[in-house]
Amino acid sequence: MLNYFLKGEKGTRLRFMGMLLSAILVLLSVFTLTQKGLNFGLDFTGGYLTEFTTSQSVDLKELQSFIAKNHNGEFELTAQGNSHFQLREAPSASTTSTTSTTSTTSNSLDWQSAVTQNDDINAQVLSSAYIGSQVGDELFDQGCLAMFAAMIAVMIYLAVRFEWRLAVGSVVALVHDLILVLGLFSLLQIEFNLTVLASLLAIIGYSLNDSIIVGDRVRELLRVQSNNVLSPATIINNAIKSTLTRTLITSGTTLATVASVWLLAGAPLQGFAIALFTGIVVGTFSSICIAATLPELLGLSAKNYEVKVDAHTQTLLDMP
């Protein structure tokens, strides 16, 4: 690898530098996940979710301070729009399920009465729902099962479509993308809910698409006999150059759409948009620096696509 880095073409050096950067980011993401974990939302942990509006504009911090005086447990208050707020209350982990539910209900009634009766706030509760922890566990298990099934389907597809070296590169790039997205959510402690889990499934498909485009082009160029005199590194660089414009245009238009969702759709879809935006960026990066570079390290060459014939067939071909 050091020989490639020192003596290779500029494109080859950039690809290997990118792969080294990816390895460092993966290690940092895994470290962050093990130390901080994910900030699971109510979809998985269970608890109360209450939405309410105020008759006039109220500062978020002032409203949070007012509710804290009338609430004994932990809660999270977020602004959903102009005078529209959402409060999440997680059940206490130190009590039994029945006691926890009763305590949370009492807290909810206390702060709701306070904000509705206060003349400066004059809040109106729109909805209040309790999500049980058992339901959250089932949702998490089903979501993980869906992601696992998607990964298995992807591996089967790649095993059939590509030579094993290209298939391994695509799978590693896919795992790399998911780990980096999870690492970002762990580092920033962004809420991980069902919409974020859905975005991970979308990232699997998008990352696979980018890797297949590059892998298909690499395979086509390796099969061209006139390219046999070229090194695998040169062929891979040529494949990336021929697909780079298409990849950047596709990624750019998709990022513009996701950015619009991020900025305009509001807080409920913010986690979904952040995950998808990050996944598209790292997916485009990994399709070049991992999916196309790792097969080269594993020994990919034009010889892997040579048609081999037995001695009898070769004799027949040599006959005048």
Side-chain angles (χ1 to χ4, degrees):
M1 181 174 177
L2 183 60
N3 184 53
Y4 276 116
F5 180 76
L6 295 176
K7 299 181 180 180
E9 302 175 4
K10 182 179 179 180
T12 304
R13 293 198 300 271
L14 290 175
R15 285 192 290 112
F16 277 89
M17 288 174 63
M19 190 168 68
L20 180 61
L21 175 62
S22 294
I24 295 173
L25 291 176
V26 166
L27 291 176
L28 291 176
S29 297
V30 172
F31 177 78
T32 304
L33 284 167
T34 55
Q35 295 299 314
K36 302 180 69 173
L38 292 171
N39 178 24
F40 289 106
L42 289 184
D43 294 337
F44 300 126
T45 62
Y48 264 101
L49 176 64
T50 305
E51 292 194 32
F52 63 95
T53 58
T54 57
S55 60
Q56 55 188 345
S57 179
V58 181
D59 183 72
L60 179 63
K61 292 184 178 180
E62 292 180 1
L63 181 59
Q64 188 167 1
S65 299
F66 178 81
I67 294 176
K69 297 176 182 178
N70 299 276
H71 195 292
N72 296 325
E74 295 183 358
F75 66 91
E76 179 184 357
L77 181 67
T78 56
Q80 303 297 302
N82 187 25
S83 301
H84 184 190
F85 299 92
Q86 186 179 81
L87 188 139
R88 297 167 180 247
E89 304 168 83
S92 175
S94 60
T95 59
T96 62
S97 177
T98 304
T99 306
S100 176
T101 305
T102 304
S103 175
T104 307
T105 304
S106 177
N107 274 329
S108 297
L109 294 175
D110 289 343
W111 73 262
Q112 287 181 27
S113 299
V115 295
T116 54
Q117 294 173 7
N118 185 281
D119 294 333
D120 294 331
I121 300 175
N122 193 20
Q124 179 182 358
V125 178
L126 301 178
S127 64
S128 182
Y130 179 76
I131 302 175
S133 58
Q134 183 177 0
V135 176
D137 291 339
E138 291 177 359
L139 291 173
F140 182 76
D141 292 341
Q142 291 173 0
C144 291
L145 183 61
M147 192 159 59
F148 179 73
M151 291 289 291
I152 294 297
V154 164
M155 290 181 184
I156 294 174
Y157 173 77
L158 291 174
V160 173
R161 184 178 181 92
F162 286 131
E163 198 266 345
W164 72 268
R165 295 172 180 83
L166 287 172
V168 168
S170 298
V171 171
V172 172
L174 182 57
V175 175
H176 159 273
D177 299 343
L178 294 177
I179 290 177
L180 289 193
V181 173
L182 292 175
L184 177 67
F185 271 71
S186 176
L187 178 65
L188 302 180
Q189 286 295 287
I190 304 173
E191 181 181 329
F192 188 91
N193 51 33
L194 279 178
T195 61
V196 177
L197 185 60
S199 71
L200 293 182
L201 295 175
I203 290 170
I204 290 176
Y206 193 92
S207 176
L208 178 64
N209 177 67
D210 269 356
S211 298
I212 286 177
I213 290 173
V214 176
D216 265 340
R217 189 58 180 158
V218 170
R219 182 177 58 179
E220 289 173 5
L221 294 181
L222 287 173
R223 285 175 171 173
V224 177
Q225 292 189 358
S226 59
N227 287 335
N228 289 347
V229 295
L230 301 177
S231 66
T234 302
I235 294 175
I236 291 174
N237 290 338
N238 291 339
I240 292 174
K241 290 176 184 177
S242 63
T243 59
L244 187 60
T245 302
R246 173 185 175 182
T247 299
L248 292 179
I249 290 176
T250 304
S251 299
T253 53
T254 310
L255 285 175
T257 304
V258 175
S260 300
V261 175
W262 187 351
L263 297 175
L264 303 176
L269 289 178
Q270 193 172 61
F272 173 85
I274 292 174
L276 204 53
F277 191 96
T278 306
I280 293 171
V281 172
V282 298
T284 303
F285 179 78
S286 65
S287 66
I288 296 173
C289 297
I290 297 179
T293 305
L294 187 59
E296 182 183 350
L297 288 178
L298 296 175
L300 181 69
S301 67
K303 294 181 180 179
N304 302 128
Y305 289 95
E306 289 181 353
V307 179
K308 298 181 181 180
V309 297
D310 54 35
H312 177 68
T313 304
Q314 186 63 47
T315 302
L316 295 176
L317 292 174
D318 293 339
M319 290 179 62

